[in-house]
Amino acid sequence: MSDDEADPELLALLRQSLGLSTSHPPPATTAVLSSAEHISDHSIDVALSSQDTVTAAHTIRQLMREKAYSPKTWATHELHPKTKDEGTVNFIFTMDLLNFCFWSEREAEQRFAVEYRGRKWTGYWSLVAALQRALDEGIPITTPDYWWDEDRCTLQVLQHVFRSATDEAIPLFDKRVVCLREAGQILHENFSSTPLALIEQSNHSATTLINLLADSFPCFQDESHFHDRPVRFLKRAQIFVADLWACFEGQGWGEFHDIDAVTMFADYRIPQILHTLHVLRYAPPLESHIRQLKPIAHDHPWEIQLRGCSIWAVELLRREMRRQEPGLDVNAVLIDFFLYDTMKEMEAKGEEGKDGGKGDQAVIPHHRTRSIWY
């Protein structure tokens, strides 16, 4: 060390004597991405194709550009809220609190559907339609204090809110009621009965808000175990942050300085389209099981691999898209939204099916797991 160089040990002692920190705390993490990498590294039933990831990244990048796909696309969906106020924050929180398990074993015309604005809505959109319909009818379904007031928010009222246009009721209705009651009570006791308090406590950090949701609300604790360690997915906690970011276009209540830390949301639609793009490959027993529409139990190794490998695949797609186009402003949230919308378009065109006469080349059905997590 030359005479002109400061002695690092002396500097550390000086900082300590002055009460200054000599180290910086590590940045907060949700552990979702590291969990996904761990799952991918140890997966034997789901594999990622590096070559097809490169091809898919190019395709997705081109299609997103052609469609001018951006966070603003979120608000263009007919049923999503258009205002940017506290009511919209409450709507998004309610929506993502209940955003799980809409698939049906029945034929398309017989599955749970919500009639609203002159048409029938299914899947995720059936939930959004039910909430909008209830608000139109004067039912304060997105007000947290209402959820745990069982004198006003009775079981009969909730059955009316989620009434179906078919003979099939909304899946897991009883569990949705539990989520509403529990979340309303927790918000009342700890967060002034408003999701805004959660956002304010997060100080514009997506990671902090996600962890706060997972730590405070049992129904957001989307976790499991794989290969001798705990793993986290936190699908609905992450999508709450993502929906805020997209709805408010990264401003105000939707401003998060670390939005790029949010991963893809591990559900049953993104694995489906990643398989269609050949980014994901399934072992023959798993692929046969899915094509035969057989259920997969929650926490089964197959389910964990499907979810974890999908998260890691989207992360690799994001990196490859940025490698192909340096400076490209894209994150896992936007890729997830785009892939989900694309898969739903394919479904609407009838391109999803068991074999469709095309054998293994057909769009594989989504896997079937009954769960409140997605």
Side-chain angles (χ1 to χ4, degrees), residues 97-102 172 176 179 236 371-374:
L97 182 66
L98 303 176
N99 183 4
F100 56 83
C101 198
F102 300 103
L172 302 183
R176 295 178 200 275
C179 287
R236 290 188 292 104
S371 163
I372 71 166
W373 307 117
Y374 63 100

Side-chain angles (χ1 to χ4, degrees), residues 12 14-23:
L14 180 60
R15 290 191 183 100
Q16 186 176 4
S17 68
L18 294 174
L20 301 175
S21 173
T22 58
S23 63

Side-chain angles (χ1 to χ4, degrees), residues 12 16 44 49 74 89 102 107 139 172 178 236 239 249 274:
Q16 186 176 4
I44 60 173
S49 168
W74 189 94
V89 172
F102 300 103
E107 297 296 327
I139 302 171
L172 302 183
V178 171
R236 290 188 292 104
I239 206 169
E249 298 178 17
L274 290 174

Side-chain angles (χ1 to χ4, degrees), residues 316-364:
L316 296 183
L317 282 170
R318 183 192 67 82
R319 295 178 186 181
E320 177 60 23
M321 290 169 70
R322 286 186 170 182
R323 188 197 67 79
Q324 293 177 6
E325 186 177 336
L328 179 66
D329 186 15
V330 68
N331 56 32
V333 173
L334 208 56
I335 296 170
D336 181 289
F337 283 171
F338 175 78
L339 291 176
Y340 179 87
D341 286 347
T342 302
M343 190 63 247
K344 294 299 289 183
E345 290 172 5
M346 294 173 68
E347 180 190 26
K349 293 176 183 177
E351 296 177 22
E352 177 189 34
K354 188 160 40 178
D355 56 39
K358 295 179 287 184
D360 290 343
Q361 299 304 311
V363 176
I364 195 169

Side-chain angles (χ1 to χ4, degrees), residues 88-103:
T88 292
V89 172
N90 286 344
F91 189 99
I92 292 173
F93 186 84
T94 311
M95 181 176 75
D96 291 328
L97 182 66
L98 303 176
N99 183 4
F100 56 83
C101 198
F102 300 103
W103 61 270

Side-chain angles (χ1 to χ4, degrees), residues 170-195:
I170 187 170
L172 302 183
F173 172 77
D174 291 345
K175 294 187 183 296
R176 295 178 200 275
V177 173
V178 171
C179 287
L180 277 174
R181 304 263 195 239
E182 178 183 78
Q185 191 71 37
I186 292 170
L187 285 171
H188 176 76
E189 293 175 354
N190 302 302
F191 300 102
S192 304
S193 293
T194 173

Side-chain angles (χ1 to χ4, degrees), residues 102-104 107-113 122-123 166 168 347:
F102 300 103
W103 61 270
S104 173
E107 297 296 327
E109 64 276 5
Q110 298 175 337
R111 65 182 298 189
F112 169 74
T122 60
T166 71
E168 184 178 38
E347 180 190 26

Side-chain angles (χ1 to χ4, degrees), residues 61-111:
R61 187 166 53 85
Q62 293 298 109
L63 289 174
M64 290 179 75
R65 178 179 290 108
E66 290 173 10
K67 294 185 176 183
Y69 204 89
S70 74
K72 294 182 179 180
T73 305
W74 189 94
T76 66
H77 291 290
E78 179 181 349
L79 296 183
H80 276 161
K82 302 299 183 286
T83 58
K84 303 184 188 306
D85 53 21
E86 182 176 356
T88 292
V89 172
N90 286 344
F91 189 99
I92 292 173
F93 186 84
T94 311
M95 181 176 75
D96 291 328
L97 182 66
L98 303 176
N99 183 4
F100 56 83
C101 198
F102 300 103
W103 61 270
S104 173
E105 297 176 356
R106 301 189 184 188
E107 297 296 327
E109 64 276 5
Q110 298 175 337
R111 65 182 298 189

